[in-house]
């Protein structure tokens, strides 16, 4: 409903969930369609997403190639008003704004999370991570109560729902992305399945498949390349193709709005009209 850019916020108050890696791959997937993407890193200390895009820019210079990418900035201040001003500036020339937030309780992260159009919360398949959104009974593993974070997002979504018609704002879509599922013991995974299903009905988030724990994601960081950079990754094995399938499933599961600007002909790369076909052509 809104004419502004679609805001995608990757937020989790626990670190080590693959948040920055997921954010970069989603941003590049959108850029492959021709979307104008801006990326704002709110973790001024770690700067993982920002460093990833810096490495990507350096690879393009070093190899003299053009790759789909994003405008990337770090917000290092502590003022919500200044952050909103940066967001407003980037909104004038971009279709999507991707926020990567610190893996800790942070007021700026909460601010952008409550104003997201798509809020993505990556979780490892562990009750340690599940505790971020809900607490379970030690014996039955049934959900006992919502966490503070889940209550915060629940209240924000209710306010957004009230303002959807009045202020022409989009409804917030909250997606819990299950990362690193490959190393989860089967019984524990089933318990998490049950708990997530129960909590999703109470809070209203959706559950999407994420990225498994794979060496390829760590190997790509120094070059800033992603699984979508067909022709620039060298010889690929079966695990890389499986990882691309995971990425395809993830991006499709986010149900992001279609790109209206169209592919950028200056990229000299295949840039199909939808994220799904973009990922399929890269496979």
């Amino acid at each position: 409903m809104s004419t502004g850019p679609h805001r995608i916020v990757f937020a989790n108050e626990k670190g080590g969930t693959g948040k920055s890696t997921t954010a970069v791959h989603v941003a590049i997937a959108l850029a492959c369609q021709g979307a104008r993407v801006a990326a704002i890193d709110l973790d001024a200390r770690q700067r993982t997403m920002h460093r990833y895009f810096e490495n990507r820019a350096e690879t393009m210079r070093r190899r003299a190639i053009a790759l789909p990418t994003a405008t990337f900035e770090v917000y290092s201040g502590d003022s919500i008003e200044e952050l909103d001003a940066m967001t407003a500036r980037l909104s004038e020339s971009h279709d999507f704004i991707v926020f990567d937030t610190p893996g800790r309780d942070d007021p700026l992260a909460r601010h952008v999370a409550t104003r997201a159009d798509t809020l993505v919360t990556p979780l490892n398949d562990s009750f340690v991570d599940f505790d971020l959104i809900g607490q379970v009974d030690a014996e039955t593993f049934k959900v006992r109560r919502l966490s503070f974070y889940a209550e915060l997002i629940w209240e924000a979504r209710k306010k957004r729902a009230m303002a959807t018609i009045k202020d022409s704002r989009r409804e917030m879509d909250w997606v819990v992305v299950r990362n690193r599922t490959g190393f989860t013991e089967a019984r524990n995974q089933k318990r998490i399945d049950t708990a997530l299903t129960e909590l999703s009905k109470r809070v209203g988030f959706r559950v999407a498949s994420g990225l498994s724990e794979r060496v390829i994601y760590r190997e790509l960081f120094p070059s800033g390349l992603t699984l979508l950079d067909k022709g620039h990754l060298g010889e690929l094995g079966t695990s890389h193709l499986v990882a691309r399938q995971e990425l395809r499933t993830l991006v499709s599961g986010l149900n992001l709005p279609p790109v209206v600007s169209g592919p950028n002909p200056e990229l000299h790369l295949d840039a199909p009209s939808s994220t799904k076909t973009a990922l399929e052509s890269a496979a």
Side-chain angles (χ1 to χ4, degrees):
M1 298 179 64
S2 173
T3 58
H6 192 87
R7 299 185 183 190
I8 311 171
V9 179
F10 289 81
N12 185 325
E13 293 183 357
K14 294 180 181 292
T17 60
K19 179 166 49 61
S20 299
T21 299
T22 308
V24 169
H25 276 77
V26 169
I28 296 303
L30 291 167
C32 283
Q33 300 177 65
R36 300 168 299 172
V37 183
I40 301 178
D41 196 332
L42 296 184
D43 192 343
R45 180 181 303 174
Q46 297 292 336
R47 301 188 177 209
T48 303
M49 183 174 72
H50 189 266
R51 287 285 299 124
Y52 206 121
F53 281 113
E54 280 187 332
N55 294 343
R56 188 173 183 82
E58 176 58 30
T59 294
M60 285 192 282
R61 287 192 293 268
R62 186 175 62 254
R63 299 188 184 183
I65 57 176
L67 297 172
T69 190
T71 302
F72 54 96
E73 297 191 20
V74 173
Y75 181 71
S76 56
D78 55 10
S79 165
I80 289 177
E81 291 74 20
E82 290 179 359
L83 174 59
D84 285 344
M86 172 186 284
T87 303
R89 171 172 55 82
L90 293 171
S91 296
E92 296 176 357
S93 55
H94 293 87
D95 306 308
F96 293 85
I97 300 182
V98 176
F99 295 86
D100 187 25
T101 63
R104 60 180 182 273
D105 183 14
D106 180 86
L108 296 178
R110 290 188 184 182
H111 174 71
V112 297
T114 57
R115 286 156 177 77
D117 297 312
T118 299
L119 174 63
V120 183
T121 301
L123 293 179
N124 296 331
D125 259 22
S126 160
F127 279 109
V128 175
D129 279 18
F130 185 89
D131 195 66
L132 171 75
I133 55 177
Q135 299 175 7
V136 298
D137 184 89
E139 300 295 335
T140 65
F141 294 95
K142 294 288 186 180
V143 177
R144 293 193 296 111
R145 55 170 302 208
L146 303 182
S147 70
F148 176 80
Y149 184 79
E151 290 178 347
L152 173 74
I153 302 304
W154 171 250
E155 291 298 324
R157 294 181 76 235
K158 286 198 299 184
K159 292 179 181 178
R160 281 287 290 275
M162 294 168 51
T164 296
I165 302 300
K166 179 181 177 182
D167 301 330
S168 297
R169 296 191 65 184
R170 303 180 180 95
E171 292 187 32
M172 180 193 295
D173 185 20
W174 186 12
V175 187
V176 172
V177 171
R178 300 176 65 178
N179 279 346
R180 296 172 176 167
T181 56
F183 290 87
T184 305
E185 189 264 331
R187 184 174 61 176
N188 183 64
Q189 189 172 30
K190 185 176 180 179
R191 288 170 173 169
I192 293 175
D193 285 340
T194 302
L196 279 173
T197 299
E198 178 186 348
L199 192 58
S200 67
K201 293 177 181 179
R202 292 172 57 179
V203 183
F205 59 75
R206 298 187 295 109
V207 181
S209 299
L211 307 179
S212 299
E213 177 67 34
R214 297 183 185 278
V215 176
I216 181 62
Y217 295 116
R218 295 191 292 272
E219 291 178 340
L220 289 173
F221 176 80
S223 65
L225 296 175
T226 72
L227 291 168
L228 300 179
D229 296 314
K230 183 179 180 181
H232 300 284
L233 298 175
E235 185 177 352
L236 301 180
T238 302
S239 63
H240 299 160
L241 300 179
V242 174
R244 282 178 172 170
Q245 175 62 41
E246 291 176 349
L247 179 58
R248 179 188 304 134
T249 302
L250 165 63
V251 177
S252 177
L254 294 181
N255 293 339
L256 298 174
V259 174
V260 296
S261 59
N264 184 349
E266 296 180 358
L267 294 176
H268 304 294
L269 292 174
D270 294 334
S273 58
S274 70
T275 304
K276 183 177 180 181
T277 52
L279 294 172
E280 286 174 345
S281 69

